[in-house]
Amino acid sequence: MFYKYETHLHTSEVSKCAYNTGAEMVRAYKKAGYTGIFVTDHFFNGNCTISRKLSWKEQVDLLMQGYENARKEGEKLGLDVFFGWEFTLNPYAADFLTYNLDKEFLLDHPYIDRLSLEEYSKLVRKNGGLLIHAHPYREAEYIHYPPNPQPHLVDGVEVNNTMSDCPSNKNYLAWRLARKHPRLIRISGTDIHSADLAGLGGVAFRYRIKDSKHFIDALRAGDAYLIIDGKITDREGKPIREVV
Ligand SMILES: [Zn+2]
Ligand SMILES: [Zn+2]
């Protein structure tokens, strides 16, 4: 028995590029047989719907909206919903999934979106957060600099960003990076912006995840299986031969 989790998900409340609300995402993941999702909307420095003219507190409240709406729907349907975000380092447009930090942390650290990666990494990790470099070798129109991963500044790497059939993600280079640095946690994420893709990516565990702290402990313990193109695989991406 596996418990499946989406690690990389956007909602239209917060992410400009997303097509579905938090509640719609929850319904899609429930249908796909997942136990939970991590809502990781674009942070203020990314493709985010939130006006920078608002106070920091107002901005933080709005950043929580997609997650809050998803959580309410999740409570109704029995899907666990956790909070994270995707920090964008400008002008490089490199993205970092951030887990196990909460609203209080954000309120206590105004304008952390302006930090360098070194500063951000130090702050996040000092406060118990986990940092994953998302799609480190993606090529896209909005990315103007060649990829330059800094493995020592992150805890892990997204070896599989769904659309693994989409060559612009260059997942094979992310795998290569993870193998070169065995310390790095490996995760898979759908980077879902449209609910019809629910079920393709994420991670799976043999046990149920209680909260974000439990999630990052489980990742650190090496207990995560990767969901790649809808199949549960081991940490090398090899499908598990077992009825799930
Ligand atoms: Zn997006
Ligand atoms: Zn994303």
Side-chain angles (χ1 to χ4, degrees), residues 5 102 148:
Y5 295 87
D102 58 11
N148 182 25

Side-chain angles (χ1 to χ4, degrees), residues 26-240:
V26 164
R27 293 199 277 277
Y29 277 89
K30 184 69 193 172
K31 210 165 144 196
Y34 279 51
T35 305
I37 59 173
F38 287 79
V39 176
T40 56
D41 275 311
H42 289 295
F43 206 54
F44 309 114
N45 48 13
N47 203 11
C48 180
T49 56
I50 301 166
S51 163
R52 305 312 316 269
K53 291 184 183 139
L54 300 169
S55 71
W56 181 251
K57 159 100 176 52
E58 287 167 322
Q59 290 183 52
V60 170
D61 283 342
L62 288 173
L63 184 76
M64 308 289 298
Q65 275 308 297
Y67 158 75
E68 296 285 4
N69 293 339
R71 195 173 50 81
K72 274 178 217 144
E73 188 70 6
E75 274 167 17
K76 268 191 239 161
L77 300 185
L79 189 93
D80 297 336
V81 177
F82 306 103
F83 177 62
W85 61 81
E86 185 171 24
F87 182 93
T88 296
L89 183 69
N90 291 310
Y92 297 92
D95 292 312
F96 301 88
L97 295 165
T98 308
Y99 303 103
N100 196 37
L101 293 174
D102 58 11
K103 187 174 181 177
E104 274 54 55
F105 169 82
L106 290 174
L107 291 173
D108 287 347
H109 297 90
Y111 302 101
I112 50 168
D113 51 303
R114 295 177 187 161
L115 298 182
S116 68
L117 181 59
E118 286 79 4
E119 293 163 332
Y120 181 70
S121 165
K122 210 171 152 190
L123 184 71
V124 162
R125 291 152 113 187
K126 199 177 81 189
N127 283 276
L130 187 95
L131 211 54
I132 302 281
H133 195 158
H135 46 70
Y137 293 96
R138 175 180 287 178
E139 283 176 5
E141 233 170 74
Y142 68 91
I143 302 174
H144 303 292
Y145 292 82
N148 182 25
Q150 311 276 324
H152 62 291
L153 295 179
V154 295
D155 300 296
V157 64
E158 191 181 51
V159 289
N160 179 71
N161 181 277
T162 301
M163 334 301 185
S164 50
D165 55 333
C166 166
S168 72
N169 272 330
K170 303 211 165 167
N171 286 330
Y172 68 97
L173 290 177
W175 276 105
R176 204 178 284 169
L177 181 73
R179 289 188 180 118
K180 200 172 152 203
H181 301 274
R183 178 189 73 77
L184 291 176
I185 290 166
R186 302 170 182 188
I187 72 164
S188 166
T190 308
D191 200 355
I192 193 164
H193 288 73
S194 168
D196 54 349
L197 295 176
L200 293 177
V203 296
F205 297 97
R206 296 281 190 184
Y207 48 87
R208 189 168 183 167
I209 295 299
K210 290 186 223 109
D211 51 30
S212 290
K213 172 72 169 64
H214 190 204
F215 173 64
I216 70 169
D217 287 345
L219 290 178
R220 286 201 170 112
D223 289 349
Y225 294 81
L226 306 176
I227 306 170
I228 299 180
D229 300 335
K231 291 188 193 74
I232 296 184
T233 76
D234 65 15
R235 63 189 304 278
E236 290 299 327
K238 230 175 100 226
I240 301 282

